[in-house]
Amino acid sequence: MTEKSAPDAQDGTRGPRGKVRLREHVMGWLFVGPFGIVFLALLIAPLAYALYLSLFQKRLIGGTGFVFLDNYVKAFTDPSFLSGSWFVIRFSLVSIPLQIIVALAMALILDAVTSLFTRFSRLMIFLPYAIPTVIGAVMWGFLYSRSFGPLTDLFTLFGATPPDLLGSNLIFYGLVNIVTWQWAGYYMIILYAALQGIDPALYEAARMDGAGKWQVALRIKIPLIAPALFLILVFSLIGTLQFFNEPQILRSLAAGTIGPDFTPNMYAYQQAFALANFNYGSAISFALGGIVFVGVYAFLFFTRKRRSFL
Amino acid sequence: MNNKRLSVAALLAAVSVLAVSVLTACSPGGGGGGATTATGGGASNCTNTIPKKNLPVVTMWGWYPNMQLVVDNFNKLNGEVQVCWTNVGQGSDEYDKFQTAISAGTGAPDVIMIEMDRIPTFQIQNALVDIRKYGFDAVKDDYGPGAWKDVSVGDAIYGVPVDGGPLAMIYRKDLFEKYDITPPKTWAEYEQAAQKMKDAGGPAFGDFAANVSALTMALQIQKGAAPFTYDPAQQSRIGVKLNDQASKDVLGYWGRLAQKGLVGTQDQFTPEYISGVINGKYATYISAAWAPGYLTGAGVGKGEDTGTFAVAPLPQWDPARPVQVNWGGSAFSVTSQAKNPELAAKVAYGLYADQESLTHGWTNQIIFPLNLKALDDPAFVNLKVAFFGGQQANKEVYVPAANAYRGVTYSPFGQYYFDAMTKQVSALIDGSVTGAQAADRLQEDVTKYAREQGFTVQ
């Protein structure tokens, strides 16, 4: 950008061309500088440090030693890491489609129906996203309570025993519900915005050709917002594989159900901050990074023909 | 096309960067948070106000409910040093912060409150200071030999004992009367009473929770288990014995009670559990002497359940040879990051050791004092405890239990052991393993960890 625009203003008026070039370079670096410093100091440097840490092993007896990739070998044979990774993969497979279906359905409805009520509904559906995840998780912890949660009242009304959504059998669905509640509204807004960007003339043309409301939704709207759909799929995949906040908060209510190695990120946290094993914690983080990379790459690879935004 | 490929690469790079940055982003934050509370500017970050501003300040972390008062008392009485106190969380929350500060080499307070079972964990990392030479002789006689043993590693003293946690059985008088049950004296009677209460349509008799590993450990020790043998002179050798018959029996016992539905399996220290205690969902609560204070603070015994609680001695395996055990109990330790260990030791020795603080602590059942000034005080021994409807709980139950307590050897990797225990107890509650299997798996798990950490396991 700077290289293109700067010469117009300065060319010819200030000295020979080489000098201008140099000035351009300096100006360019100055513009990039603030971002570059923050980027290097807060992202690249910690990453490099974590990578460096992950190549060492610290033991209570015997101190720290260089072990090269041993921590990674250990991670990929560690049942805690593997079961945690398997959990987030399963969780992604269930929760992401669910969130997207809910978000898409609501976006299509809000787009199709226009009344005073839609503005209000839009806000209400979006509202959970505005609640910090930590508070949301604490709240759901109480809602799931079998002593004072509303589910208990509901189930006892029909004479049934209320489900224990914090118990080890149902915690998966308890978390799916929390995540869907939290994120569906946000994805809905993205999809809704994409829908608003579609030229209404297309609908008119479709109607002239005899398309009904369903056909307009399925054949016109969804294909046209596919780029937005892919975008939120990628975001949610990255986010879900790094699942941390909700289970970490619910741990204080159900430590037996949610172990410290429930998800890979929680496991990394436990290793680093509870067991002072920053080396192995870093290795787990990088191993998880690898899984996320593979997951997202696979997704992008299999959808490469249908994509238009990248 | 070229452009497209470039942006795919950029996205993938961004993705992987995002994924790994979670840990690294946490790391400076965690350490930094500790650093500001502990060392950053000292006095300005204290929860308490320091009255004597010209004196040197010692920073301190602790979570006793009446800590504010205790610190104020100390500062008022002391003319040499002032305490700057912060509550950074209870139990594990605090240990995680302390552990991070140890790893970082900075950010720890000068004095820290820790449960006695954690002392070896931090001591082996050289995070604590031996305070024997900083005035131990002057206060030696203020505590019994058992109390000193729990804060010592070999001859070195790594903490000043404050409170103990002799175990007993808290029970609901109303439920015991309603179902015609007398307090069980043995664990066999406990099971029978539980069955009786269930057959009569009563609530759960107790609670077997996955998140109270220290209690489960104490109950195993009561039957004769000795989980760790450890000679501080030979730090690299440790004996781990988590699957002996006693450990298996105790896990099997509670697993059976849970499977039969005789006891609940709710995590303790949760709102869910407390509401259960208030509403009479549990007829007994096996817990330590500090429990009444904790329960009162959580709102138990204040409403309809006023005066419904009483306490009886911990049931025994063999009534002819009773064994008393402990859960929790804390001490003040001086950290090796203290700038002036001598001054810090003065705080550790003096804090919560004045008469006024001690009296406030035991009258409100916040602490079961180990300081003999309180423990031998007739007012303490004969106290009619309001929470127990005027029962002389100290005289009848807690003081004898404390006197019979022999002390335990704790492990230098307490956090890992407790987490591993939680995992196994959770599986035991599910019914996916038996008590014996749970003990065997725990043994395998912890042994593996100990070896990884460089210990020679015996």
Side-chain angles (χ1 to χ4, degrees):
Chain A
M1 268 311 242
T2 42
E3 282 207 42
K4 260 189 180 172
S5 56
D8 297 333
Q10 295 174 348
D11 208 8
T13 51
R14 301 202 182 171
R17 211 173 155 73
K19 221 175 176 183
V20 173
R21 264 259 142 93
L22 188 73
R23 286 180 69 95
E24 283 169 13
H25 276 293
V26 171
M27 287 304 281
W29 283 113
L30 279 178
F31 277 121
V32 175
F35 165 76
I37 289 168
V38 172
F39 184 71
L40 282 176
L42 298 181
L43 203 65
I44 299 301
L47 271 180
Y49 183 57
L51 183 66
Y52 167 81
L53 279 181
S54 74
L55 303 177
F56 289 82
Q57 187 189 34
K58 187 184 158 220
R59 315 198 304 178
L60 282 173
I61 304 292
T64 307
F66 182 72
V67 294
F68 195 43
L69 294 178
D70 275 12
N71 283 329
Y72 293 93
V73 174
K74 188 185 158 197
F76 282 106
T77 51
D78 184 341
S80 289
F81 177 71
L82 293 177
S83 67
S85 302
W86 177 229
F87 175 84
V88 287
I89 290 170
R90 274 188 305 143
F91 194 79
S92 302
L93 291 177
V94 175
S95 76
I96 294 174
L98 185 68
Q99 289 170 59
I100 298 211
I101 288 167
V102 170
L104 185 62
M106 288 190 300
L108 288 171
I109 291 169
L110 289 179
D111 187 53
V113 183
T114 33
S115 74
L116 264 179
F117 198 56
T118 43
R119 282 183 87 107
F120 178 73
S121 310
R122 211 163 63 209
L123 181 69
M124 283 297 115
I125 297 164
F126 181 70
L127 203 60
Y129 178 70
I131 295 172
T133 47
V134 170
I135 294 171
V138 169
M139 221 171 65
W140 277 105
F142 279 96
L143 290 174
Y144 287 167
S145 161
R146 284 191 294 174
S147 302
F148 32 79
L151 279 178
T152 309
D153 299 335
L154 201 69
F155 273 78
T156 41
L157 208 64
F158 297 102
T161 37
D164 183 8
L165 284 162
L166 295 173
S168 48
N169 296 326
L170 293 177
I171 187 73
F172 185 89
Y173 302 99
L175 286 168
V176 165
N177 176 47
I178 297 177
V179 170
T180 308
W181 169 83
Q182 183 105 48
W183 291 94
Y186 173 66
Y187 297 144
M188 181 274 292
I189 288 289
I190 295 180
L191 294 177
Y192 181 75
L195 282 171
Q196 296 290 299
I198 297 173
D199 185 356
L202 286 172
Y203 304 149
E204 207 179 321
R207 267 199 302 278
M208 302 262 277
D209 287 341
K213 278 207 160 165
W214 278 102
Q215 276 169 317
V216 169
L218 293 175
R219 302 271 167 104
I220 310 273
K221 290 184 177 177
I222 294 182
L224 282 174
I225 59 166
L229 273 171
F230 281 119
L231 186 77
I232 61 176
L233 264 166
V234 171
F235 279 177
S236 55
L237 190 60
I238 298 167
T240 313
L241 290 174
Q242 298 184 60
F243 206 25
F244 181 78
N245 284 351
E246 290 85 354
Q248 183 73 16
I249 295 298
L250 290 179
R251 255 201 99 190
S252 61
L253 299 176
T257 309
I258 303 173
D261 53 357
F262 194 66
T263 72
N265 252 345
M266 288 172 68
Y267 191 41
Y269 176 88
Q270 186 221 15
Q271 286 291 335
F273 301 111
L275 301 176
N277 197 344
F278 285 91
N279 307 95
Y280 190 44
S282 304
I284 292 170
S285 292
F286 269 92
L288 174 65
I291 289 178
V292 174
F293 187 92
V294 168
V296 174
Y297 189 85
F299 174 74
L300 291 180
F301 182 79
F302 287 119
T303 57
R304 67 194 182 285
K305 289 221 174 97
R306 306 188 55 110
R307 247 175 322 107
S308 55
F309 76 108
L310 284 173
Chain B
M1 194 60 204
N2 200 10
N3 216 352
K4 256 187 198 174
R5 198 169 282 157
L6 199 72
S7 54
V8 172
L11 179 79
L12 286 174
V15 164
S16 50
V17 157
L18 262 177
V20 282
S21 63
V22 170
L23 178 89
T24 47
C26 283
S27 145
T36 44
T37 42
T39 51
S44 59
N45 286 307
C46 315
T47 306
N48 59 306
T49 8
I50 293 172
K52 300 166 189 166
K53 307 239 184 264
N54 51 338
L55 293 179
V57 168
V58 164
T59 55
M60 196 276 277
W61 291 352
W63 72 79
Y64 284 118
N66 63 342
M67 205 71 239
Q68 174 88 51
L69 177 108
V70 171
V71 169
D72 285 347
N73 284 344
F74 180 90
N75 285 344
K76 203 168 63 194
L77 293 171
N78 201 293
E80 269 180 282
V81 59
Q82 298 287 289
V83 174
C84 165
W85 161 65
T86 321
N87 181 355
V88 300
Q90 183 166 348
S92 291
D93 289 342
E94 188 206 63
Y95 304 145
D96 286 1
K97 291 191 177 81
F98 185 38
Q99 188 60 71
T100 306
I102 294 168
S103 302
T106 174
D110 300 336
V111 174
I112 186 166
M113 167 182 174
I114 45 181
E115 285 160 286
M116 296 175 192
D117 57 40
R118 301 296 174 128
I119 285 178
T121 301
F122 294 120
Q123 188 270 332
I124 200 170
Q125 303 179 58
N126 299 318
L128 304 179
V129 175
D130 175 11
I131 50 172
R132 182 177 274 278
K133 61 175 177 287
Y134 298 124
F136 167 70
D137 292 329
V139 297
K140 186 168 175 264
D141 296 332
D142 286 352
Y143 303 89
W148 283 121
K149 192 194 163 207
D150 272 6
V151 293
S152 303
V153 177
D155 280 339
I157 308 278
Y158 289 102
V160 183
V162 178
D163 73 318
L167 275 183
M169 185 186 74
I170 297 170
Y171 65 95
R172 300 270 304 209
K173 276 185 289 189
D174 52 344
L175 291 174
F176 270 47
E177 262 165 43
K178 187 174 168 195
Y179 295 97
D180 186 28
I181 287 165
T182 48
K185 292 198 168 51
T186 65
W187 288 113
E189 283 175 30
Y190 186 88
E191 190 176 356
Q192 286 159 12
Q195 189 68 53
K196 185 176 172 187
M197 187 169 272
K198 184 171 193 242
D199 292 344
F205 200 65
D207 186 61
F208 179 47
N211 72 336
V212 286
S213 300
L215 171 64
T216 311
M217 176 184 77
L219 292 173
Q220 289 177 324
I221 290 169
Q222 191 200 15
K223 197 163 192 290
F228 299 97
T229 41
Y230 178 64
D231 176 5
Q234 279 191 301
Q235 280 205 324
S236 65
R237 302 172 79 86
I238 188 163
V240 181
K241 215 158 108 197
L242 311 175
N243 61 345
D244 60 330
Q245 200 53 46
S247 300
K248 286 181 175 175
D249 288 348
V250 171
L251 288 180
Y253 175 85
W254 286 100
R256 184 170 72 239
L257 263 62
Q259 288 303 314
K260 284 190 192 168
L262 300 179
V263 294
T265 53
Q266 173 62 45
D267 273 10
Q268 293 178 12
F269 302 97
T270 58
E272 188 82 16
Y273 182 69
I274 292 299
S275 86
V277 170
I278 293 175
N279 295 323
K281 273 175 94 169
Y282 310 101
T284 69
Y285 178 31
I286 305 295
S287 194
W290 42 256
Y294 162 69
L295 292 174
T296 309
V300 179
K302 285 176 176 167
E304 278 178 37
D305 55 345
T306 309
T308 54
F309 293 95
V311 64
L314 190 66
Q316 295 293 329
W317 291 102
D318 181 357
R321 278 174 301 151
V323 182
Q324 299 300 339
V325 281
N326 224 34
W327 176 16
S330 302
F332 289 127
S333 294
V334 175
T335 76
S336 45
Q337 289 180 26
K339 284 160 291 297
N340 186 341
E342 197 176 350
L343 217 53
K346 284 208 166 81
V347 171
Y349 282 124
L351 206 58
Y352 224 138
D354 60 291
Q355 199 69 54
E356 197 188 332
S357 301
L358 284 169
T359 308
H360 184 269
W362 61 254
T363 44
N364 294 292
Q365 283 106 50
I366 291 165
I367 60 164
F368 180 85
L370 293 175
N371 193 316
L372 297 177
K373 276 188 272 181
L375 200 53
D376 289 345
D377 183 351
F380 167 73
V381 175
N382 296 320
L383 179 74
K384 291 187 169 136
V385 179
F387 181 80
F388 294 125
Q391 184 186 7
Q392 289 184 306
N394 294 333
K395 187 179 177 177
E396 291 173 26
V397 179
Y398 290 122
V399 171
N403 288 339
Y405 175 60
R406 292 279 163 266
V408 169
T409 303
Y410 297 113
S411 83
F413 35 79
Q415 183 72 44
Y416 189 87
Y417 165 54
F418 286 157
D419 282 345
M421 170 97 95
T422 293
K423 213 165 160 177
Q424 294 309 329
V425 170
S426 180
L428 179 60
I429 288 170
D430 275 358
S432 51
V433 295
T434 65
Q437 282 168 335
D440 284 338
R441 286 183 191 188
L442 185 61
Q443 170 76 11
E444 198 183 316
D445 189 352
V446 173
T447 310
K448 189 170 157 238
Y449 181 79
R451 291 217 171 93
E452 259 173 39
Q453 290 298 322
F455 289 94
T456 311
V457 181
Q458 286 155 331

